[in-house]
Amino acid sequence: MIAYDDRSWLFLLLFKKKGSVVPRTLLFAIPSSFLALLFLVVEDYWSDWRIAFEVDDIKESQVWTATMFALSTLLGFRIRQALGRFWEGTSLLHQMQGEWFESASCLFAFSRATVKTKKAECISFRHTLVRLVSLLHGSALEEIKEDASVTYEVFDIHGLDNETLRYLQRSKDENGFNRVQVILHMIQVLMTVNLDSGVLKIPPPILSRVYQTFSRGLVNLLNAKKITDTLFPFPFAQTIVILLIFQVFFTPFMVTAIVSSKVWAPLLTFVPIFGVFSLNFSAGELEMPFGDDDNDLPLWEFQAEMNLSLMMLFT
């Protein structure tokens, strides 16, 4: 995601290329403007070409208005959906991170009473917990990431025993289990075992809230995964593309039938084409917030924040 200062001079934003949709938009707006200029040049040498092609009444036609209205409606719908998906994506990630950190923090607090009486068991529980929660959060980000091959930095997993590491490896590679669900189950088992052993000095009804908080984090993850799995409906996207291409060719016809200036006609053609393509490309950038584009959410920062928060528990 690109950070910028909206209080700075407006013209500074014009020359910011990173994450901009302007270069792609110009690939359509500039040829359409040149097409308008071409129509005017043809009209200089063949003034009756519109009559010959039976398009002389184009300036009185309602086709351009109707198609632009339909395109604007679809673009408005797509932009609202894209902004909703983007905002929901960042909200769900923050909620997931908050739920899981709160759970880890509570477990650290619940084990405080046994720091002196069962020091070795308590330290082992805390270190295992932190590594599992860090791995849980990193695995969750991998699951919602558009490119599933991307990995995220987690706490030293070699701090886990070999049996646990082998179990995680078999669960993912051999059995095809969901790694996030496996790790969450391991954390729940870890909590139960340490409750029975007396490391967690807390009444079971209070500890049950931690189970619920971990579960709410998983629900937030599944809701975020819904964004990754569900694309903008293809029929809408296809219709928008057809109308956009139609406008690239039809707008110069309409503008040059009204404006004869070789300066204003290309300019008046450029503006609407630039506008609709910019809106469509912007919506496409925001629809998938968990990708690798410059405008996508910085998932690695979410993981770094989570690791830093977990490290704070040891101070």
Side-chain angles (χ1 to χ4, degrees):
M1 188 169 60
I2 299 174
Y4 65 95
D5 185 6
D6 57 358
R7 296 171 297 179
S8 62
W9 289 97
L10 180 63
F11 289 101
L12 295 179
L13 296 177
L14 295 177
F15 303 101
K16 194 174 182 64
K17 184 179 179 181
K18 184 179 180 181
S20 175
V21 298
V22 171
R24 282 183 291 167
T25 301
L26 293 178
L27 293 177
F28 296 91
I30 292 178
S32 185
S33 299
F34 275 109
L35 191 59
L37 183 61
L38 177 63
F39 290 153
L40 292 177
V41 171
V42 171
E43 201 160 288
D44 289 340
Y45 294 94
W46 185 13
S47 59
D48 297 333
W49 73 274
R50 292 180 183 271
I51 299 176
F53 287 97
E54 299 181 352
V55 292
D56 55 309
D57 60 343
I58 194 74
K59 59 185 177 182
E60 301 175 359
S61 174
Q62 301 298 319
V63 177
W64 185 87
T65 303
T67 54
M68 185 59 78
F69 174 78
L71 178 59
S72 301
T73 302
L74 288 172
L75 284 177
F77 171 69
R78 185 172 193 178
I79 292 170
R80 286 193 298 271
Q81 293 293 317
L83 287 174
R85 288 163 62 94
F86 190 86
W87 184 255
E88 184 182 11
T90 186
S91 299
L92 290 170
L93 288 188
H94 280 92
Q95 291 171 11
M96 180 185 73
Q97 179 179 326
E99 300 278 10
W100 286 344
F101 171 75
E102 180 188 359
S103 300
S105 178
C106 288
L107 292 174
F108 263 67
F110 296 160
S111 62
R112 185 176 180 83
T114 58
V115 170
K116 295 182 179 179
T117 58
K118 295 186 176 184
K119 185 176 180 179
E121 294 88 342
C122 182
I123 291 176
S124 176
F125 166 72
R126 289 183 170 185
H127 279 270
T128 303
L129 174 66
V130 164
R131 284 170 170 78
L132 286 177
V133 172
S134 176
L135 185 59
L136 175 69
H137 190 267
S139 299
L141 295 182
E142 289 180 21
E143 188 165 323
I144 62 175
K145 182 73 172 177
E146 190 175 12
D147 182 3
S149 63
V150 178
T151 57
Y152 298 93
E153 182 178 0
V154 298
F155 281 151
D156 181 22
I157 61 174
H158 295 290
L160 301 173
D161 59 78
N162 292 330
E163 183 180 355
T164 300
L165 294 176
R166 285 195 297 269
Y167 176 72
L168 286 173
Q169 189 72 23
R170 290 197 308 269
S171 298
K172 177 68 175 179
D173 298 338
E174 298 180 12
N175 301 323
F177 295 152
N178 184 285
R179 180 178 294 169
V180 174
Q181 295 175 355
V182 170
I183 298 173
L184 182 60
H185 177 68
M186 293 175 65
I187 294 174
Q188 293 171 338
V189 171
L190 179 69
M191 292 166 54
T192 304
V193 169
N194 283 272
L195 177 64
D196 294 338
S197 65
V199 174
L200 294 174
K201 288 284 188 178
I202 198 70
I206 298 179
L207 185 61
S208 66
R209 296 183 56 188
V210 179
Y211 288 99
Q212 295 171 4
T213 307
F214 270 118
S215 298
R216 287 200 301 267
L218 179 61
V219 172
N220 289 326
L221 168 63
L222 294 177
N223 285 328
K225 195 171 185 296
K226 175 182 63 178
I227 297 177
T228 303
D229 295 340
T230 308
L231 300 177
F232 184 72
F234 171 75
F236 285 117
Q238 185 182 50
T239 303
I240 289 174
V241 170
I242 292 173
L243 291 176
L244 284 172
I245 299 301
F246 179 80
Q247 291 299 330
V248 168
F249 295 98
F250 193 70
T251 298
F253 271 105
M254 190 277 300
V255 172
T256 54
I258 302 174
V259 181
S260 59
S261 170
K262 292 183 175 62
V263 175
W264 286 106
L267 181 61
L268 294 176
T269 299
F270 178 88
V271 172
I273 298 300
F274 180 86
V276 293
F277 272 90
S278 294
L279 291 175
N280 185 58
F281 287 140
S282 298
E285 288 281 322
L286 300 179
E287 282 170 357
M288 190 58 66
F290 309 128
D292 297 316
D293 298 331
D294 293 327
N295 292 297
D296 292 332
L297 295 173
L299 299 186
W300 63 271
E301 288 187 7
F302 282 89
Q303 181 65 20
E305 290 176 3
M306 186 63 170
N307 289 338
L308 186 62
S309 298
L310 293 172
M311 192 177 298
M312 178 269 297
L313 296 176
F314 287 106
T315 60

